[in-house]
Amino acid sequence: MKQTAQKTILITGASSGIGQACARHLLAKGWRVYACQRSAPLDADLQAGLRFVPMDVTDDASVAQAIAKILAEAGIIHALLNNAGFAIAGAIEDTSMEEARAQMETNFFGVLRVCRALAPIMRAQGHGHLVTISSLAGVIGLPFSGLYSASKFALEGLCESLRFELRPFGVRVALIEPGDFDTALPANRRRAAAAGPNSAYSARFEASQKAQAADEAKAPKPHLVARVLERILAQRRPKLRHVVGAAGQTIVVPLKRLLPQAWFEAVLRAATGA
Ligand SMILES: NC(=O)c1ccc[n+]([C@@H]2O[C@H](COP(=O)([O-])OP(=O)(O)OC[C@H]3O[C@@H](n4cnc5c(N)ncnc54)[C@H](OP(=O)(O)O)[C@@H]3O)[C@@H](O)[C@H]2O)c1
């Protein structure tokens, strides 16, 4: 194993969107970036110096093999960005147990799997940054995104606990909570199979999808998230939660804290069409 002064980061789900933006940004800032993804990388990214490692976060062997390969090459992993994820839309009642499990398997167990594989390595190193992409949906239970919100709320609890546990070993845990960003998330969003015209929620679900699409159409580019990540990685003791996004969306975080519950729910109903 060889070690260099260059810092090394492992990014999951680096094939598009936020993961890709973070990978390219940190590469430009001099990081050795391991872009972990299921699909083949773009030639231009490889030529620019991104290192590609195959990884499916739902697969134990795939995660273990990827980390072993990176360690063999780089000798050390300074930082992890848990980014891989997708969203399921639909009323909770319309979401089957299989659909719910698939959501949790990637968004929650995928992060847990990678954290469990890397925590002993970072502990032994005596340092590391372990950063996870949550969401504003991890702060607020969004109507008709209940399973997605549940997966992100689960990450919030996991990382809040992990931060205590890893602190004495010099490993820093942080969460990024983005609002809507211009990525492939909407295109990759799965609809619960039962969320059709026969659903009792159909009209409100469709209205919420329309409101969501309107928000997503004006979403900012994901390089803003990459800048937040860069700032976290530069800090010896980053805070736990880092909200990023359009001001009209991120305002919901203080509003949830400050407004009476009934007022907050009225604001959210108006904003989401639910
Ligand atoms: N965009 C937003 O508005 C927004 C807001 C808040 C939070 N987020 C979060 O940001 C993260 C990135 O999403 P994005 O917006 O950048 O969407 P995206 O463009 O669809 O990117 C998602 C990435 O996750 C990967 N992925 C999905 N399942 C995977 C698996 N089993 N194993 C490995 N990789 C997997 C995808 O890989 P493939 O190409 O192989 O499918 C892709 O690289 C997600 O955790 C999402 O929840 C996004």
Side-chain angles (χ1 to χ4, degrees):
M1 288 204 296
K2 67 174 192 280
Q3 291 192 13
T4 66
Q6 193 182 28
K7 289 206 165 177
T8 298
I9 185 163
L10 183 172
I11 298 178
T12 70
S15 66
S16 82
I18 290 173
Q20 187 178 65
C22 289
R24 290 176 179 169
H25 182 81
L26 289 181
L27 183 74
K29 296 290 172 183
W31 281 73
R32 177 195 282 257
V33 178
Y34 284 92
C36 294
Q37 55 196 65
R38 296 184 291 189
S39 54
L42 300 176
D43 281 349
D45 278 332
L46 287 178
Q47 278 159 24
L50 272 186
R51 292 164 163 84
F52 162 68
V53 182
M55 186 196 281
D56 182 335
V57 298
T58 64
D59 180 338
D60 285 339
S62 166
V63 169
Q65 281 160 18
I67 290 175
K69 182 175 186 314
I70 296 169
L71 276 179
E73 267 179 40
I76 192 165
I77 300 176
H78 297 88
L80 161 68
L81 180 67
N82 284 309
N83 165 77
F86 76 94
I88 289 185
I92 290 166
E93 188 187 322
D94 288 339
T95 308
S96 70
M97 290 308 290
E98 287 70 29
E99 289 166 331
R101 280 197 192 94
Q103 179 72 102
M104 297 305 281
E105 191 56 50
T106 296
N107 288 20
F108 176 69
F109 289 112
V111 170
L112 178 62
R113 191 171 279 114
V114 180
C115 285
R116 290 193 71 250
L118 262 189
I121 292 158
M122 288 188 170
R123 259 194 312 103
Q125 290 172 182
H127 62 85
H129 281 78
L130 206 155
V131 184
T132 296
I133 304 285
S134 172
S135 172
L136 289 184
V139 183
I140 292 146
L142 292 177
F144 305 116
S145 290
L147 266 301
Y148 180 67
S149 268
S151 73
K152 296 297 188 180
F153 268 70
L155 289 182
E156 297 269 333
L158 182 81
C159 292
E160 201 169 304
S161 298
L162 195 60
R163 185 171 157 100
F164 284 109
E165 294 175 8
L166 288 177
R167 190 177 183 277
F169 300 104
V171 181
R172 308 304 176 201
V173 176
L175 286 156
I176 301 179
E177 297 169 334
D180 285 331
F181 277 89
D182 181 12
T183 70
L185 191 90
N188 292 332
R189 184 178 286 121
R190 301 181 196 172
R191 267 184 172 229
N198 295 332
S199 163
Y201 302 90
S202 178
R204 288 164 61 223
F205 173 61
E206 294 304 336
S208 80
Q209 293 302 100
K210 227 168 142 185
Q212 190 166 38
D215 279 346
E216 287 169 348
K218 46 183 196 277
K221 299 283 177 202
H223 70 270
L224 294 178
V225 184
R227 286 203 208 136
V228 171
L229 174 64
E230 184 193 359
R231 278 203 298 278
I232 293 171
L233 298 178
Q235 290 166 10
R236 281 198 49 232
R237 292 179 196 284
K239 61 179 182 160
L240 174 60
R241 294 188 167 86
H242 303 258
V243 178
V244 55
Q249 294 192 332
T250 57
I251 187 127
V252 294
V253 176
L255 284 184
K256 180 173 181 178
R257 206 170 49 238
L258 297 172
L259 287 182
Q261 179 75 15
W263 293 15
F264 181 70
E265 286 176 0
V267 169
L268 213 62
R269 276 200 305 274
T272 60

